[in-house]
């Protein structure tokens, strides 16, 4: 039921191929790819070419978290590069409804992400157009930050909004500061996909950590 999506943002960038290979051995479900453009967030990571290169190293689900302005321009490239899910930020796209449908039309699952300061009502009219809602529990840009508990409250509200519409198959992913303690809070509130960067990649026993995060 609960899926774990380790973020390679916290892996050794000089050895991302082998990091991704390890995720399979550690029984992770998804590979979470944090794409940052230096404009939407104050950091730069990588784009579709990295996704394509890593695709050869894993059969897990590739979960692209687009922390970029105007994300629609990259959708076709990420589809080509083997991404399975593409999540855009509501704060970064004036036409999120159109972009979500475009992502789906390309054959990827579409996710909508909310920053900690964004109200759940901002995504209310998008719920029919997405496969996943990503609730940020840190301000995006960096790994290793502290979990913002107020942001996690949104998970419960969004789960209620989905249930009220009969959208039982839409996933809720949480991202930022997820560790063994905060993972429980997220699961209890109704999240079913947990992103974890530092908790997994700084662990002495990542396989065990993933098991504990799953609850
Ligand atoms: C933050 C990223 C997260 C982050 C998670 O901008 O979207 O995926 O890397 O890392 P931790 O689990 O270390 O907070
Ligand atoms: Zn992320």
């Amino acid at each position: 039921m609960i899926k774990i999506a380790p973020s390679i943002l916290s892996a050794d960038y000089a050895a991302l191929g082998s990091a991704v290979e390890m995720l399979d051995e550690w029984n992770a479900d998804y590979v979470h790819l944090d794409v940052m453009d230096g404009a939407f967030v104050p950091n730069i990571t990588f784009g579709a070419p990295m996704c394509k290169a890593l695709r050869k190293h894993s059969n897990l689900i590739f979960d692209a978290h687009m922390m970029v302005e105007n994300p629609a321009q990259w959708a076709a490239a990420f589809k080509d590069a083997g991404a399975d899910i593409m999540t855009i930020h509501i704060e970064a796209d004036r036409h999120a409804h159109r972009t979500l449908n475009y992502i789906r039309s390309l054959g990827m699952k579409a996710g909508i992400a909310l920053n900690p300061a964004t109200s759940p009502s901002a995504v209310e009219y998008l719920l029919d157009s997405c496969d996943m809602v990503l609730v940020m529990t840190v301000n995006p840009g960096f790994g290793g930050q502290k979990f913002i508990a107020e942001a996690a409250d949104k998970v419960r509200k969004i789960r209620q909004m989905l249930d009220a519409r009969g959208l039982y198959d839409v996933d809720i992913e949480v991202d930022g500061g997820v560790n063994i303690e905060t993972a429980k809070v997220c699961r209890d509130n109704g999240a079913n996909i947990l992103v974890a960067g530092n908790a997994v990649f700084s662990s002495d026993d990542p396989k065990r950590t993933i098991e504990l995060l799953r609850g």
Side-chain angles (χ1 to χ4, degrees):
M1 277 292 281
I2 303 289
K3 294 188 170 126
I4 306 300
S7 165
I8 56 165
L9 185 64
S10 304
D12 176 3
Y13 269 32
L16 285 184
S18 46
V20 158
E21 284 168 14
M22 293 309 293
L23 293 183
D24 203 12
E25 285 179 39
W26 297 341
N27 295 328
D29 300 283
Y30 293 3
V31 178
H32 185 80
L33 302 160
D34 283 311
V35 179
M36 304 186 187
D37 66 352
F40 180 65
V41 287
N43 200 0
I44 298 175
T45 54
F46 48 75
M50 178 66 84
C51 180
K52 191 167 199 159
L54 295 176
R55 188 67 278 187
K56 301 188 191 92
H57 294 265
S58 172
N59 291 319
L60 297 181
I61 291 170
F62 271 31
D63 172 28
H65 176 192
M66 306 300 292
M67 286 162 277
V68 305
E69 300 286 356
N70 186 19
Q73 64 184 316
W74 307 116
F78 270 85
K79 170 63 187 171
D80 258 15
D84 300 291
I85 306 169
M86 182 163 165
T87 297
I88 63 164
H89 268 263
I90 182 68
E91 306 85 0
D93 193 332
R94 287 201 189 92
H95 304 291
H97 183 273
R98 178 191 289 150
T99 304
L100 291 170
N101 284 295
Y102 173 49
I103 292 169
R104 281 180 156 180
S105 77
L106 291 172
M108 293 182 287
K109 287 195 169 184
I112 188 74
L114 310 80
N115 279 338
T118 303
S119 165
S121 61
V123 300
E124 189 170 358
Y125 292 95
L126 296 172
L127 297 176
D128 271 309
S129 302
C130 68
D131 303 289
M132 181 168 93
V133 180
L134 194 178
V135 177
M136 289 303 301
T137 41
V138 298
N139 288 293
F142 306 95
Q145 303 182 81
K146 193 175 175 291
F147 185 81
I148 302 170
E150 301 92 294
D153 282 350
K154 269 189 273 181
V155 172
R156 190 180 294 277
K157 296 202 177 101
I158 291 166
R159 185 56 79 192
Q160 283 167 356
M161 282 161 57
L162 289 169
D163 286 349
R165 287 163 179 74
L167 297 169
Y168 305 114
D169 293 335
V170 177
D171 294 311
I172 301 183
E173 182 176 60
V174 284
D175 186 4
V178 174
N179 56 34
I180 291 160
E181 291 79 48
T182 57
K184 180 171 167 37
V185 177
C186 297
R187 292 193 310 264
D188 290 351
N189 280 330
N192 66 313
I193 304 174
L194 310 180
V195 176
N198 257 39
V200 169
F201 284 99
S202 306
S203 170
D204 294 334
D205 187 351
K207 190 170 184 174
R208 176 76 184 135
T209 299
I210 286 176
E211 206 174 286
L212 293 169
L213 288 169
R214 223 186 280 281

